[in-house]
């Protein structure tokens, strides 16, 4: 059976509602190095705060609005009033393999090991312990994010460029496994569709006999970078 359409992944997100040190409620600012992310707002009110080479931007997230952003976009999900989102990620499995890097202060970005120690949540921790650790991680990411944002607003893009360079170095030791994730996911789906079209053009529609319905999936609940996640393992079905 085909995996979820397009080789994407799917999660429901309740954006964190606790305030960061700057008083804004929301998640951990971070950047994806290889995957595009899409927010579909389904409840409440929120914003996406983003940093790109074009500058700082605030985008409203209200029910019915769809916003997506490409690799290299530093983004922060902000909760104004019970913001709830559906999150689609390209390259299902790749973000979970370490595609994202949070905007920790520069001293935490000097090595992949130092970064991952700061980013990790306690294994086997209680709900309360995980919540505290996730908030601490978020606050650390906000600290680094604010320095990049303020410099960018002032016309200095060097901190943004330096963070991107460090992010690429942090994920470098994982790149060897990423090609396989893409090949088995979105690339395989695209090739499968091309094969079906070629067969149909030749008068062969036998693939229609393989029609099936995916089972109802139960989500895994976890503390994500942006909020409480209900993530679905769509790649395995």
């Amino acid at each position: 059976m085909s995996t979820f359409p397009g080789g994407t992944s799917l999660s429901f997100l309740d954006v964190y509602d606790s305030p960061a040190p700057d008083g804004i409620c929301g998640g951990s600012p971070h950047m994806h190095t290889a995957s595009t992310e899409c927010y579909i707002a389904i409840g409440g009110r929120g914003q996406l705060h983003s940093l790109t080479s074009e500058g700082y931007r605030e985008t409203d997230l209200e029910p019915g609005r769809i916003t997506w952003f490409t690799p290299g976009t530093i983004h922060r999900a902000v909760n104004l009033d019970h913001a709830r989102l559906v999150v689609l990620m390209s390259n299902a499995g790749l973000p979970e393999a370490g595609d994202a890097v949070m905007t920790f202060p520069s001293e935490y970005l000097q090595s992949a090991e130092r970064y991952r120690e700061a980013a990790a949540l306690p294994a086997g921790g209680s709900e309360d312990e995980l919540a505290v650790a996730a908030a601490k991680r978020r606050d650390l990411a906000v600290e680094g994010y604010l320095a990049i944002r303020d410099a960018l607003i002032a016309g200095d893009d060097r901190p943004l460029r330096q963070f991107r360079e460090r992010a690429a170095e942090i994920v470098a030791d994982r790149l060897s496994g990423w090609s396989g994730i893409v090949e088995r996911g979105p690339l395989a789906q695209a090739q499968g569709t091309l094969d079906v079209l070629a067969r149909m053009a030749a008068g062969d529609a036998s693939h229609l006999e393989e029609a099936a319905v995916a089972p109802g999936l139960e989500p895994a609940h976890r503390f994500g970078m942006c909020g409480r996640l209900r993530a679905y393992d769509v790649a395995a079905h």
Side-chain angles (χ1 to χ4, degrees):
M1 176 180 292
S2 174
T3 60
F4 193 73
T8 60
S9 61
L10 168 70
S11 300
F12 286 86
L13 171 65
D14 293 302
V15 182
Y16 290 132
D17 58 4
S18 61
D22 62 348
I24 293 178
C25 298
S28 307
H30 63 282
M31 180 188 80
H32 293 280
T33 58
S35 296
T36 293
E37 185 170 9
C38 175
Y39 283 170
I40 304 171
I42 59 172
R45 291 191 309 114
Q47 288 185 328
L48 176 77
H49 292 185
S50 58
L51 305 177
T52 67
S53 298
E54 296 181 349
Y56 169 67
R57 182 176 180 178
E58 297 181 0
T59 303
D60 289 334
L61 301 173
E62 297 179 349
R65 296 198 65 177
I66 298 176
T67 302
W68 67 88
F69 36 94
T70 57
T73 302
I74 294 176
H75 53 284
R76 180 187 190 185
V78 171
N79 191 343
L80 299 177
D81 182 16
H82 298 89
R84 293 183 295 118
L85 311 170
V86 169
V87 180
L88 296 178
M89 290 290 307
S90 65
N91 308 316
L94 196 153
E96 293 78 7
D99 167 52
V101 178
M102 286 178 277
T103 52
F104 294 153
S106 59
E107 60 266 31
Y108 294 90
L109 306 176
Q110 298 309 307
S111 71
E113 181 180 5
R114 181 77 190 278
Y115 169 81
R116 287 167 189 160
E117 287 177 355
L121 298 180
S126 68
E127 188 84 358
D128 289 343
E129 290 171 336
L130 290 171
V132 169
K136 180 179 178 181
R137 180 176 74 175
R138 186 272 314 273
D139 293 351
L140 196 63
V142 168
E143 179 182 344
Y145 161 85
L146 291 176
I148 299 171
R149 185 200 66 181
D150 293 348
L152 193 60
I153 291 174
D156 181 6
D157 69 347
R158 287 175 299 175
L160 174 62
R161 289 187 284 108
Q162 290 168 355
F163 173 76
R164 287 174 173 167
E165 291 171 0
R166 294 300 302 129
E169 293 171 358
I170 285 170
V171 303
D173 63 343
R174 297 184 170 180
L175 292 177
S176 60
W178 288 6
S179 294
I181 293 173
V182 176
E183 289 167 356
R184 293 187 299 272
L187 184 58
Q189 285 214 16
Q191 186 58 59
T193 300
L194 291 175
D195 292 344
V196 162
L197 296 179
R199 287 161 54 190
M200 291 179 68
D204 177 7
S206 60
H207 68 286
L208 300 178
E209 300 296 330
E210 302 170 3
V213 176
L217 301 179
E218 292 296 328
H221 295 257
R222 66 172 185 263
F223 288 86
M225 293 184 183
C226 294
R228 295 295 303 271
L229 285 173
R230 287 171 285 156
Y232 294 81
D233 184 9
V234 294
H237 296 274

